[in-house]
Amino acid sequence: MKEELLHYAWRMRRFNATALQTTDGEAVEVLHPGQLNTHAGPDFLNAKLRIGHTVWAGNVEMHLRSSDWLQHGHQTDNAYDNVILHVVYEDDAPIQRGNGTPIPCLEMKQRISRRLAAHYQRLIQSEQWVPCASTLGQVSELTLNLWLDRMAAERLESRASKILEQLERNKEGWEETFYQFMARSMGGKVNAEPMQMLAERTPLLLLYKYRHSLFQVEALLFGQSGLLEGTFQDEYPRRLQQEYRFLKQKHGLTAIPTQIWKYLRLRPANFPTIRIAQLATMIYQQAGWFSKAMAAHDLKELNNFFTIKLSNYWWDHYTFDKASHRKAKALGEQTVRSVIINTVAPMLFLYGTRKGDDRIRDKGLDILEKLPPEQNKVIREWKRLGVKTSSAYHTQALLQLKQQYCNPKRCLECAIGNALLKPTSKAEEPWLDEMIGEDWEKNWSLFDLEYHQAFSHTLQPSVQLVQMSI
């Protein structure tokens, strides 16, 4: 038995509530189980219970054994003074609040289905690519699709949250933040951090001062990247170096360390030098990136934003002083798609949310739905398990599911895991009959998702203990 299963049984009411009572013999009725708290403090907040003849509103704490309360030091923590019920798998010690008043205890040892515990154990001990790989086909299409909708939104919200932190550091500068995350996305997985550092060290307003000259924009970005240090044979990097030295002195600039750039196992088209040249060209060709992204009417217009033509030197070079076959080095389709997924969509989603503009907010989701599905190792594995994808919206959802739920085995917080843990008949958990309704099979998936969504919100522990006599 794990404490997570106790949380799940309580949140989903997957326990026998017949003649429910505390270890002291007081009747208990769960009017509302509360909201799961993922921060410090009691496990469930805002619970509403009838204990004896009194209705209480407050917090619920859970442990495998009552004595864990003492081992965790809750008796000296004021955050636990508002606990109205201690839910445990096994009661092995009486527990009191800091002021000496006893805390009602509910023992669940004989109230949780053995089948539920056994099935959960099999999931978390699974060594398959995902815990439910062999049973995924048992999950209804409705449950899977609704959960993937949630995963897509969650991934977008997660990205928007990181952008928001940077936006606040930039004092609500939307264009500056958009530029920094565009640079980050262009760096790919390998050089994302250096590209963002470069953008932060080279403010957009400074680059706009020299937008009339691609040469000067390149001098600023390559100089700030640290890649103009040393001695060069070609005339072009020597000129860039000379120009940067002048601009560095004029504006008091500081370059980032050269050694943070990575080239190992990168295709030449993805070298930092090419990405920086492409970024410089985009700045030279057009200003107001974020405004243009918001104004774009469709995906085609958005893709046109990334159509660029590099300066002559980069047609036959991938790095300084090393000539290559002459070739246009435009942003590849995969790179453009990655930038749209990782920056454009979440920025629009965040802006619409912050400004209360549902049209722009939904535009972030619509973009993902119109992009073709991504192709990578994770998506290929999902496909092998029979999961179909028709757009980047679905592939982003599957990446979120794999990374945030399957890898850490958060099966109890996943609607797919919940569906696989459901009873196969009324006889297994007859106490659920009243909650689910007569049409057992039809209503289970909707019930499962409804309860997950209702109790998966995270709240700060600020609830006060309230007693209401009846």
Side-chain angles (χ1 to χ4, degrees):
M1 172 62 68
K2 288 183 174 288
E3 195 170 301
E4 289 84 357
L5 184 59
L6 201 60
H7 289 190
Y8 168 79
W10 177 260
R11 185 176 78 245
M12 302 293 291
R13 305 198 194 194
R14 293 287 300 277
F15 60 90
N16 187 351
T18 305
L20 201 62
Q21 59 182 15
T22 67
T23 52
D24 288 337
E26 284 195 287
V28 177
E29 182 182 356
V30 183
L31 303 175
H32 193 293
Q35 295 160 318
L36 181 64
N37 174 33
T38 58
H39 301 283
D43 294 316
F44 285 83
L45 310 178
N46 296 330
K48 188 176 181 182
L49 312 170
R50 180 181 283 107
I51 303 176
H53 298 291
T54 305
V55 174
W56 296 83
N59 303 332
V60 173
E61 176 65 3
M62 297 189 174
H63 292 112
L64 291 181
R65 288 170 293 276
S66 303
S67 56
D68 290 343
W69 179 284
L70 303 174
Q71 291 186 19
H72 297 169
H74 296 336
Q75 68 276 15
T76 59
D77 189 340
N78 293 336
Y80 292 84
D81 287 345
N82 294 330
V83 170
I84 59 175
L85 184 66
H86 192 201
V87 179
V88 300
Y89 184 71
E90 184 177 0
D91 179 34
D92 65 345
I95 298 301
Q96 298 178 338
R97 298 185 182 89
N99 60 11
T101 58
I103 301 176
C105 178
L106 175 63
E107 186 179 67
M108 304 284 275
K109 191 173 184 178
Q110 304 300 325
R111 294 184 175 274
I112 296 178
S113 164
R114 290 182 181 179
R115 175 194 172 279
L116 172 62
H119 280 215
Y120 171 60
Q121 198 69 16
R122 278 197 291 272
L123 276 176
I124 63 171
Q125 290 180 350
S126 170
E127 296 183 0
Q128 300 177 96
W129 185 72
V130 292
C132 60
S134 60
T135 53
L136 185 60
Q138 299 174 18
V139 179
S140 72
E141 189 173 347
L142 172 64
T143 296
L144 182 60
N145 288 339
L146 287 174
W147 186 240
L148 290 182
D149 283 342
R150 175 59 200 157
M151 289 296 94
E154 189 175 288
R155 191 167 182 84
L156 207 51
E157 288 166 0
S158 176
R159 286 216 172 95
S161 177
K162 292 177 182 177
I163 294 173
L164 178 59
E165 293 176 8
Q166 188 72 5
L167 179 69
E168 291 173 345
R169 285 193 286 270
N170 290 334
K171 299 179 181 179
E172 298 291 316
W174 289 92
E175 289 287 350
E176 186 76 22
T177 304
F178 190 74
Y179 150 67
Q180 291 171 358
F181 275 86
M182 283 279 285
R184 180 184 180 87
S185 295
M186 289 174 67
K189 291 182 179 180
V190 176
N191 285 302
E193 291 294 336
M195 285 292 285
Q196 184 171 344
M197 286 178 61
L198 171 61
E200 291 173 355
R201 288 280 184 95
T202 319
L204 189 59
L205 287 178
L206 173 62
L207 291 167
Y208 278 175
K209 287 174 65 74
Y210 298 95
R211 247 197 82 232
H212 63 283
S213 168
L214 176 56
F215 171 74
Q216 287 181 301
V217 174
E218 283 195 4
L220 279 168
L221 286 173
F222 278 113
Q224 287 292 86
S225 72
L227 296 175
L228 289 180
E229 295 180 4
T231 304
F232 298 99
Q233 298 176 0
D234 290 351
E235 180 186 357
Y236 188 68
R238 291 203 305 268
R239 288 178 55 218
L240 288 175
Q241 189 180 60
Q242 183 178 5
E243 181 67 18
Y244 174 66
R245 286 171 179 168
F246 167 74
L247 294 172
K248 178 182 179 181
Q249 184 70 25
K250 180 178 179 180
H251 296 288
L253 302 175
T254 304
I256 65 177
T258 310
Q259 60 270 23
I260 68 174
W261 297 104
K262 298 178 179 65
Y263 293 82
L264 187 63
R265 298 189 183 90
L266 284 180
R267 293 179 179 178
N270 295 328
F271 280 178
T273 42
I274 296 301
R275 292 294 183 229
I276 294 170
Q278 290 168 339
L279 182 65
T281 303
M282 289 177 68
I283 292 168
Y284 169 71
Q285 287 186 177
Q286 54 191 324
W289 292 357
F290 184 55
S291 300
K292 285 182 169 62
M294 284 197 297
H297 292 97
D298 51 37
L299 196 57
K300 182 179 179 180
E301 188 174 341
L302 195 57
N303 280 321
N304 290 337
F305 176 74
F306 297 96
T307 303
I308 57 174
K309 184 179 180 181
L310 299 190
S311 59
N312 288 333
Y313 183 80
W314 297 109
W315 276 69
D316 50 18
H317 287 80
Y318 286 102
T319 59
F320 293 120
D321 285 348
K322 292 183 180 180
S324 67
H325 293 295
R326 189 166 179 80
K327 181 182 178 181
K329 298 175 178 67
L331 281 165
E333 183 179 335
Q334 188 173 343
T335 301
V336 172
R337 188 184 308 167
S338 177
V339 172
I340 293 174
I341 289 172
N342 294 312
T343 296
V344 179
M347 279 289 288
L348 293 175
F349 182 86
L350 176 62
Y351 185 86
T353 301
R354 295 271 285 181
K355 302 299 182 181
D357 190 329
D358 290 340
R359 181 184 61 83
I360 296 178
R361 180 183 180 278
D362 292 342
K363 191 174 183 179
L365 287 166
D366 291 340
I367 285 173
L368 296 180
E369 290 180 337
K370 291 174 182 175
L371 283 171
E374 300 155 273
Q375 300 296 328
N376 54 51
K377 184 178 179 180
V378 173
I379 301 306
R380 286 193 292 272
E381 283 295 321
W382 281 118
K383 186 177 180 180
R384 186 180 63 82
L385 293 177
V387 180
K388 299 176 183 178
T389 59
S390 60
S391 69
Y393 177 86
H394 291 117
T395 54
Q396 283 289 293
L398 290 170
L399 290 171
Q400 180 74 4
L401 177 58
K402 170 63 175 169
Q403 294 167 6
Q404 300 301 322
Y405 289 82
C406 301
N407 288 349
K409 296 191 175 179
R410 294 170 59 193
C411 304
L412 295 178
E413 300 172 59
C414 171
I416 296 170
N418 283 202
L420 292 171
L421 291 171
K422 74 179 182 180
T424 56
S425 69
K426 296 181 183 181
E428 290 182 5
E429 296 180 44
W431 53 85
L432 289 175
D433 194 22
E434 182 179 342
M435 298 166 60
I436 301 293
E438 293 182 2
D439 198 342
W440 184 270
E441 290 297 330
K442 181 178 178 181
N443 292 336
W444 180 265
S445 292
L446 291 175
F447 166 82
D448 200 23
L449 283 171
E450 178 186 344
Y451 266 72
H452 173 83
Q453 292 168 350
F455 302 128
S456 64
H457 304 300
T458 57
L459 300 174
Q460 294 292 340
S462 58
V463 183
Q464 297 298 314
L465 185 65
V466 180
Q467 178 179 354
M468 296 173 283
S469 300
I470 59 173

